[in-house]
Amino acid sequence: MKHFASQAALLAALVLPTAALAQTAVPGGAAGPATPPAVPGPAPTAGTAPAEIMPRSAKGGADTAGVAAAPDSAFARTAAAAGLAEARMGRLAAENTQSAQVRTFAQRMVTDHMQLGHRLTAIAERKGLTLPTEPNARDVSTLTDLARQKGADFDNAYLRTQDIDHEIAMSAFQQEAEHGTDTDLKAFAQAALPTLRQHLLMAKDAEKGSL
C-alpha cells in the first residue's frame, strides 16, 4: 500500500497540468476520451542506460527533432524509472518464486519492459533527453520489501504490486497517447498500450492462479 499511495500522489502532480493542456491546445488521440493519467514515481537521477517504460513537447506543436518539453519529458523520465523497476522486480520474481505461473509472468515482464526501454532510449537520444539509469527511491524500497518475502507471501506481494503498477502505467500511457504534443513520444505510448494492457490481464490472471 505504501508503494501504491506514493505512486498515486506523484501521478496527481503530473496529471493536473497535462489535463489542462489537453483541454486548451492539444487535439484528442485515436483512442477515445482521455483517461486521467497516473505515472509511477518521481524523476530519478539522470543517466544514459536503456530505460524501460515512459515525454511531451511544449511549444504548442509536435517537435520530432528537438528536445521534448515539460510534460512529455516528465512522462519519459518517469516511465524510464518505472520500467527499470519492473525489470528488476521481474528478475527478482523469476529467481525467488516457486510458482511456474509467476515465473512465466515475471520473465515476460523482463523481456517486454527491456524492449520498451530500448525504444524509449532511442527516442530520448534523438531529442537530447537524459533518462534515469536507476528506479526511483520508492520503487527501490518496494524491491527491498519484496526481497524479504518468501514463498506464497512473495508471490502475493509481487502480483499485487504488478496489478497496481500496471493500472497506473496504463493511465499514464493512455494520457500521453491521446494528449502528448511530441509526435515520437505520443507514438511510443500508443504502440506500448497493447503490451501494458496484456501485462495487466496477466497479473490479474496470475493472482487468480490461472495464468
Side-chain angles (χ1 to χ4, degrees), residues 139-155:
D139 283 336
V140 169
S141 178
T142 297
L143 280 158
T144 301
D145 291 344
L146 283 173
R148 297 191 183 109
Q149 304 292 327
K150 302 295 180 184
D153 289 341
F154 173 86
D155 290 348

Side-chain angles (χ1 to χ4, degrees), residues 129-211:
L129 281 172
T130 302
L131 298 179
T133 59
E134 294 292 330
N136 64 52
R138 289 173 177 84
D139 283 336
V140 169
S141 178
T142 297
L143 280 158
T144 301
D145 291 344
L146 283 173
R148 297 191 183 109
Q149 304 292 327
K150 302 295 180 184
D153 289 341
F154 173 86
D155 290 348
N156 291 336
Y158 172 64
L159 292 174
R160 281 197 304 270
T161 297
Q162 291 301 294
D163 194 340
I164 292 168
D165 286 355
H166 282 88
E167 290 276 9
I168 293 171
M170 281 286 297
S171 293
F173 273 77
Q174 188 75 41
Q175 176 71 16
E176 180 69 13
E178 294 179 355
H179 302 297
T181 61
D182 182 281
T183 300
D184 291 338
L185 293 167
K186 182 172 182 175
F188 166 76
Q190 290 170 339
L193 274 170
T195 297
L196 296 177
R197 188 173 295 111
Q198 187 173 27
H199 289 177
L200 179 59
L201 292 174
M202 290 177 71
K204 291 182 180 298
D205 285 345
E207 283 187 286
K208 299 172 185 175
S210 59
L211 183 62

Side-chain angles (χ1 to χ4, degrees), residues 42-117:
T45 55
T48 57
E52 283 144 19
I53 297 190
M54 309 188 272
R56 187 184 301 244
S57 181
K59 293 183 180 178
D63 179 4
T64 60
V67 176
D72 289 303
S73 300
F75 167 80
R77 289 190 297 268
T78 309
L84 289 164
E86 289 298 329
R88 288 195 184 180
M89 288 182 201
R91 293 187 190 101
L92 180 66
E95 293 171 0
N96 288 2
T97 186
Q98 300 301 310
S99 165
Q101 293 177 328
V102 174
R103 185 174 293 106
T104 296
F105 172 74
Q107 290 169 339
R108 175 71 179 274
M109 295 306 100
V110 174
T111 299
D112 287 355
H113 284 291
M114 286 296 293
Q115 289 176 350
L116 289 173

